[in-house]
Amino acid sequence: MQPSPFNDAPAPPTHALALTVNGAAVAVTVDARTLLVQLLRDELRLTGTHVGCDTSQCGACTVHVDGEAVKACAVLVVQVEGRDVRTIEGVATAETLHPMQEAFREHHGLQCGFCTPGMILVAMDMVRRHGPVLDEATVRADLEGNICRCTGYHNIVKAIITGARAMGGPAGGQE
Ligand code: FES
Ligand code: FES
């Protein structure tokens, strides 16, 4: 067999960096090519962040970086150095679902649940960007990057509108 021309390729550079994940300080050393979704799932075992396409189209890998929804399959770990990452595991408290999670439960905004973590995190970001009173057209437009293969979207839209209002709440809002 011919020797591979790649055998002598130098190892990719690694980076030691720190970030916060679901409120906990995390220090890692990663290959410069490591994707955020790989760190979350493979190293930190936060497997609620799903991989549906790996090509930045389905939204199943959506997480928050400093409160903004991003697709973790399209972000390198080195890009989130020093940033605050939140996954679906960091949304509820030990006793209580987040209002957006509760709205998805109440309105049956899921079937298989594969897309649901990404849907909930992108919905929370809609409230950050638009406020707690969302109309159907806004929700449907903002879901263009999140694909559900099961539900037909009607109940997801109802859940997001309800969950957004609940996040607004009498006390002025919950992150
Ligand atoms: S896995 Fe990231 S957008 Fe589909
Ligand atoms: S509930 Fe199955 S993919 Fe959305």
Side-chain angles (χ1 to χ4, degrees):
M1 184 190 285
Q2 293 288 322
S4 165
F6 302 112
N7 281 349
D8 295 329
T14 59
H15 295 270
L17 55 89
L19 65 157
T20 302
V21 180
N22 296 333
V26 173
V28 291
T29 299
V30 293
D31 173 332
R33 304 165 300 182
T34 306
L35 296 168
L36 178 57
V37 72
Q38 294 173 309
L39 173 70
L40 295 172
R41 287 182 57 85
D42 301 340
E43 301 295 326
L44 304 182
R45 308 306 297 164
L46 295 170
T47 54
T49 303
H50 293 156
V51 178
C53 66
D54 229 358
T55 52
S56 191
Q57 295 177 57
C58 75
C61 65
T62 302
V63 299
H64 287 175
V65 175
D66 294 339
E68 183 178 347
V70 303
K71 292 177 176 176
C73 75
V75 175
L76 296 167
V77 176
V78 294
Q79 293 177 284
V80 295
E81 179 171 12
R83 311 280 292 275
D84 185 14
V85 175
R86 177 150 73 161
T87 70
I88 193 66
E89 290 89 348
V91 167
T93 66
E95 296 85 22
T96 313
L97 291 177
H98 185 279
M100 191 60 75
Q101 292 175 306
E102 181 59 34
F104 270 72
R105 189 196 64 77
E106 178 188 341
H107 287 283
H108 307 290
L110 62 142
Q111 289 186 29
C112 78
F114 189 84
C115 70
T116 311
M119 290 287 182
I120 287 172
L121 286 157
V122 83
M124 292 165 62
D125 191 36
M126 285 183 210
V127 177
R128 180 185 68 83
R129 288 181 291 110
H130 301 296
V133 180
L134 299 175
D135 59 44
E136 182 175 338
T138 299
V139 173
R140 288 186 179 276
D142 276 26
L143 284 180
E144 58 93 21
N146 289 71
I147 295 171
C148 177
R149 62 190 172 184
C150 305
T151 66
Y153 295 93
H154 291 297
N155 287 359
I156 291 174
V157 173
K158 279 194 250 175
I160 292 174
I161 290 171
T162 301
R165 284 187 183 276
M167 285 175 68
Q174 175 174 342
E175 191 186 322

